[in-house]
Amino acid sequence: MERRIVRARVTGRVQGVSFRVWTLREAEKLDLVGWVRNEADGSVSALLAGSEDAVAAMLERLWRGPAGAAVATVEFDDVQMDELPARFVITG
């Protein structure tokens, strides 16, 4: 299985709407590992690692977000990493 690793940044009304908890639950459903955190500028960042299909599905879901969110943009870049978290976690 080919693994894809993506660093994503989500902007809009994405803090104060349980975006991190929602992302954690969606990532777990897709069997992804990585992390999600709030940023000082009001955005949310995430590291998503898993199968190509699972990462693509999560990127699509980030556009929707949880109830109460209003996503303006989802930007992402593929990255290379030697070590990844063992599971998906909220880091900040």
Side-chain angles (χ1 to χ4, degrees):
M1 174 184 75
E2 183 110 1
R3 180 176 68 182
R4 183 177 183 193
I5 307 169
V6 168
R7 180 99 184 248
R9 180 174 176 265
V10 185
T11 65
R13 189 173 64 239
V14 294
Q15 290 190 16
V17 293
S18 299
F19 205 97
R20 292 174 299 161
V21 172
W22 175 88
T23 301
L24 170 70
R25 290 181 182 148
E26 294 299 311
E28 288 175 338
K29 290 177 191 175
L30 293 167
D31 201 26
L32 295 174
V33 299
W35 49 259
V36 62
R37 68 179 178 218
N38 283 341
E39 299 293 350
D41 66 1
S43 67
V44 170
S45 291
L47 181 75
L48 312 168
S51 72
E52 175 75 35
D53 289 345
V55 171
M58 189 67 206
L59 289 170
E60 287 181 23
R61 292 177 189 192
L62 289 175
W63 276 103
R64 185 177 69 240
V71 175
T73 65
V74 177
E75 302 167 340
F76 64 92
D77 291 304
D78 287 279
V79 295
Q80 299 294 318
M81 298 185 78
D82 292 329
E83 292 187 33
L84 293 167
R87 59 189 178 93
F88 203 90
V89 297
I90 297 172
T91 63

